[in-house]
Amino acid sequence: MKILVCIKQVPDMEAKFKIDGAGTWYARTDLAWRMNEYDEYAVEQAIQLKEQEQEADITVLCIGGEQVKETIKKALAMGCDRAVHVAMEAVSSLEPLQIAGIIAEFARDQGFALIFTGMQSQDRGSGQVGLLVAEFLTLPAVSTVVEFAYEAGMATVRRELEGGTRACVKVATPAVITCQLGLNSPRYPTLPNIMKAKKKELRTIPAGELLKVAPRQETAKLFFPEKRGGGEVLEGEIGELADRVIQILKEKTTVLS
Amino acid sequence: MKSLLIAESRQGKVLGGSYELMAFAGELASDTVMFLVGSKEALPAYGGRLYLADAAEVGDYNPEAHRELILQVIAEENPEMVLFCHSSYGWDLAPRVASALGAAQVSEVVALRDGMPVVPVCNGKLRRQVQVATTRRVFTLQAGAFSPSAEPSGTPEVIKMAAPAPGRVEFCGYEQAAVGGVDLGKASVVVSAGRGIGKPENVKMVAELARALGGEYGASRPVVDAEWVEHNRQVGTTGQSVAPKLYVACGISGAIQHLAGMKKSEFIVAINTDRDAPIGEIADLLVVADLKQFVPLLTAKLQAR
Ligand SMILES: Cc1cc2nc3c(=O)[nH]c(=O)nc-3n(C[C@H](O)[C@H](O)[C@H](O)COP(=O)(O)OP(=O)(O)OC[C@H]3O[C@@H](n4cnc5c(N)ncnc54)[C@H](O)[C@@H]3O)c2cc1C
């Protein structure tokens, strides 16, 4: 059984973002980079499936510049068997359709029984890529999965809906699954596994070989949201801050009376 | 311009987001037609033409069949724009439809600027204005971003649609999360722990602050996913919605799905080390501090009163 996991490298969301020179994306300097949170669940689910189906082989795929290799190595250290780095520096200029096109072009005719992606990325957040990969490959897809079980060519999953409701869904493989937060508990790579990962196959393919899809949209402008105003910001020594907060709660709310 | 509004129904009820699609089309002065997989017993309050397939035959979740029906309506009506809610139903279906149409899809539209859709980036810290290159376009709209200005009304002219062949994804039924335990909705003060608490031991300091303020403690989703706090204390779209007199967010960044569950609170205090955290956009008071020092100190001062 062959499994494909698609991951993205994103900045830590606590960073102080700046707009880049072209005004269409965030500047890539002074950021800490990590694996997209949703994709960590995708990687973990693939590995759990391999623990169940011993003969399974997991390929992890990531599109981006040289620096995404760090994130690829993490996925290998978590337990993926081999990696494909689709090399492209200006990856943020691609729209979701093109990202999905690259992945589909790579995956076509490779016989992946399951393709796992995160349900969305933390930076761009379009939530389209996994579903579009399925469309390109004419595979069935289920998005927003919070529970996953597999047996004999059939995946039984739970989709998360609003307000604590879940939908139980069955789909025969091959299929695409997009993973939602909480699907499992992503493992931390252990030191021996980090060492082992260094010997695993990491193939680089130039994005140009796989990019066949033209964009249908582009970013006109990236900007900061207007501050809503009204809110007060308190900074300083914490003892004084606490006194100030209590004073404000007394003035503005009824909870301390 | 003409827009096709993809309304939503679950378990026989039309969902409120459907009316937000009308509000958005209204802002663009677009003509509309509507599509719904639902029930003729529960029609949306809509005065236009409604293409209706029976949920009892098609299923609430049957994406390939729903796509097929939507494509039939599009062939009939030829709309330039197809609008979905950015919901578990809409974000699952929209890419399938956009792909079949060869249309651009823009996800989670929050506003229009110079006639172009604007979407959030990086957990709401940034906004992106998008230029669409195709004539036909598919948008999903963020919940709550476009509100109907008046109470929706009207009775639709219904065009019944026959159920297409079932798709490859089989829907087997709903499960409701176990309810019971705490009802955060009743508390006058809710103090919530976010991922910024760092470790499970720190839930206690948040719970103690809640007690000192005479309220209950809640949590953001990562804290619940990590099983540091039970699910029935989760605040947000996939948890509970609360509107207490005072909401205190400790180490919570302010993602839209969290805000949806607490932004109606009367007074909001956020405690965060990041001065630019999006929670600051809706907080009445943002305390820039490390919660691990600040929360116990505030609790002690409240107890000493
Ligand atoms: C379909 C869907 C549904 C969702 N439903 C929900 C939902 O119902 N509820 C929900 O909460 N989320 C939900 N989410 C997840 C949501 O998008 C965010 O990922 C989540 O709310 C983030 O939680 P957080 O703010 O606790 O963590 P983070 O976003 O990681 O934020 C942590 C914050 O803590 C601050 N911090 C760190 N250390 C400290 C410190 N020492 N002192 C003070 N501050 C500190 C940081 O600056 C940061 O702002 C959903 C997501 C999706 C896609």
Side-chain angles (χ1 to χ4, degrees):
Chain A
M1 171 186 223
K2 284 176 73 179
I3 303 168
L4 178 65
V5 191
C6 308
I7 63 171
K8 180 177 186 181
Q9 188 183 57
V10 297
D12 192 306
M13 292 300 139
E14 282 163 39
K16 193 161 177 61
F17 289 99
K18 294 189 206 87
I19 313 262
D20 70 5
T24 53
W25 200 239
Y26 52 77
R28 299 177 59 84
T29 43
D30 300 328
L31 296 174
W33 297 85
R34 45 165 297 170
M35 192 188 302
N36 177 40
E37 199 181 353
Y38 298 83
D39 304 343
E40 289 181 358
Y41 294 95
V43 171
E44 176 63 31
Q45 201 56 53
I47 298 167
Q48 288 188 11
L49 184 55
K50 184 184 161 87
E51 286 165 349
Q52 177 192 320
E53 306 286 320
Q54 305 281 334
E55 91 306 349
D57 186 274
I58 309 170
T59 302
V60 59
L61 179 149
C62 186
I63 309 172
E66 207 40 40
Q67 69 165 44
V68 304
K69 283 187 176 162
E70 282 315 305
T71 299
I72 292 178
K73 282 180 191 150
K74 180 178 180 190
L76 290 172
M78 285 172 78
C80 295
D81 295 296
R82 60 198 73 250
V84 171
H85 168 217
V86 180
M88 174 164 190
E89 286 296 335
V91 67
S92 61
S93 66
L94 299 184
E95 72 133 317
L97 185 76
Q98 296 177 293
I99 298 287
I102 288 175
I103 296 168
E105 198 58 34
F106 168 78
R108 198 183 305 278
D109 306 323
Q110 293 234 29
F112 290 110
L114 278 158
I115 300 177
F116 291 103
T117 72
M119 72 157 284
Q120 62 182 23
S121 61
Q122 288 175 275
D123 55 353
R124 185 130 177 170
S126 72
Q128 298 179 25
V129 170
L131 290 154
L132 290 174
V133 169
E135 290 299 316
F136 278 116
L137 298 174
T138 60
L139 294 176
V142 184
S143 72
T144 334
V145 167
V146 285
E147 234 182 275
F148 178 90
Y150 172 84
E151 213 197 310
M154 181 66 79
T156 304
V157 306
R158 302 278 186 281
R159 283 195 82 221
E160 184 181 56
L161 314 179
E162 290 71 19
T165 310
R166 292 172 168 199
C168 171
V169 174
K170 281 195 162 78
V171 63
T173 58
V176 177
I177 301 291
T178 85
C179 302
Q180 163 65 318
L181 306 172
L183 169 61
N184 48 45
S185 306
R187 69 195 64 193
Y188 294 101
T190 60
L191 195 56
N193 286 343
I194 292 171
M195 301 314 288
K196 257 197 254 166
K198 296 199 165 126
K199 299 203 187 71
K200 290 182 179 172
E201 177 189 318
L202 197 171
R203 185 152 70 100
T204 298
I205 306 176
E209 285 180 22
L210 299 171
L211 179 58
K212 310 251 159 97
V213 185
R216 294 179 189 158
Q217 58 182 300
E218 62 179 26
T219 301
K221 196 176 161 100
L222 195 78
F223 57 97
F224 289 98
E226 296 88 42
K227 290 270 173 243
R228 228 190 27 150
E232 194 177 337
V233 180
L234 297 183
E235 278 170 294
E237 192 273 315
I238 59 168
E240 284 165 26
L241 288 181
D243 292 335
R244 187 82 187 99
V245 168
I246 291 171
Q247 194 191 340
I248 292 172
L249 291 182
K250 276 187 191 153
E251 287 164 15
K252 302 262 175 80
T253 75
T254 53
V255 301
L256 292 185
S257 50
Chain B
M1 181 167 60
K2 192 196 270 184
S3 301
L4 171 61
L5 317 180
I6 310 298
E8 276 183 48
S9 136
R10 189 183 305 158
Q11 292 170 292
K13 272 213 201 95
V14 176
L15 303 186
S18 311
Y19 300 108
E20 297 178 8
L21 305 177
M22 288 161 62
F24 181 81
E27 262 185 45
L28 286 171
S30 168
D31 295 334
T32 62
V33 287
M34 191 180 265
F35 166 80
L36 175 71
V37 177
S39 154
K40 62 180 184 335
E41 313 303 329
L43 292 173
Y46 172 65
R49 196 150 60 241
L50 172 71
Y51 288 82
L52 180 73
D54 189 351
E57 289 169 30
V58 186
D60 284 356
Y61 183 70
N62 188 351
E64 295 178 345
H66 287 209
R67 170 182 53 194
E68 178 55 35
L69 288 164
I70 291 168
L71 294 178
Q72 284 174 26
V73 178
I74 290 168
E76 190 70 32
E77 294 282 349
N78 199 24
E80 288 91 347
M81 193 157 70
V82 186
L83 298 176
F84 293 83
C85 303
H86 195 69
S87 61
S88 59
Y89 178 75
W91 68 59
D92 185 84
L93 198 49
R96 306 176 198 259
V97 171
S99 169
L101 292 175
Q105 184 196 332
V106 183
S107 303
E108 205 179 0
V109 176
V110 294
L112 286 163
R113 198 175 188 237
D114 314 325
M116 288 181 237
V118 172
V119 300
V121 176
C122 291
N123 199 9
K125 280 195 163 178
L126 291 158
R127 297 277 183 277
R128 200 164 67 85
Q129 183 176 329
V130 184
Q131 172 84 58
V132 174
T134 52
T135 319
R136 197 167 256 165
R137 54 207 51 200
V138 173
F139 293 168
T140 66
L141 309 185
Q142 185 182 79
F146 302 93
S147 301
S149 52
E151 189 62 32
S153 63
T155 309
E157 172 204 337
V158 176
I159 298 168
K160 283 207 187 120
M161 300 185 78
R168 295 167 292 179
V169 172
E170 185 197 347
F171 169 59
C172 317
Y174 289 110
E175 271 170 20
Q176 206 59 46
V179 283
V182 273
D183 182 359
L184 291 182
K186 290 213 177 75
S188 61
V189 177
V190 176
V191 183
S192 287
R195 179 146 48 194
I197 66 167
K199 51 181 183 188
E201 293 75 22
N202 291 339
V203 171
K204 201 163 151 240
M205 65 172 71
V206 173
E208 275 165 8
L209 176 58
R211 194 164 335 123
L213 286 164
E216 276 291 350
Y217 72 97
S220 71
R221 173 160 186 154
V223 174
V224 172
D225 284 341
E227 298 180 359
W228 299 351
V229 166
E230 324 80 89
H231 180 263
N232 58 22
R233 290 186 187 270
Q234 182 181 313
V235 174
T237 38
T238 47
Q240 294 194 48
S241 283
V242 299
K245 290 197 171 112
L246 172 64
Y247 188 88
V248 185
C250 308
I252 293 177
S253 62
I256 176 71
Q257 298 90 355
H258 188 81
L259 301 187
M262 45 65 77
K263 66 180 175 203
K264 299 211 175 96
S265 306
E266 280 173 38
F267 198 81
I268 298 169
V269 177
I271 301 159
N272 204 305
T273 41
D274 179 4
R275 201 183 193 282
D276 298 323
I279 189 91
E281 273 181 59
I282 64 148
D284 297 286
L285 192 57
L286 171 65
V287 182
V288 183
D290 185 331
L291 72 92
K292 291 185 280 282
Q293 276 100 50
F294 182 76
V295 168
L297 184 70
L298 179 63
T299 307
K301 287 191 184 258
L302 283 166
Q303 284 163 344
R305 280 171 63 242

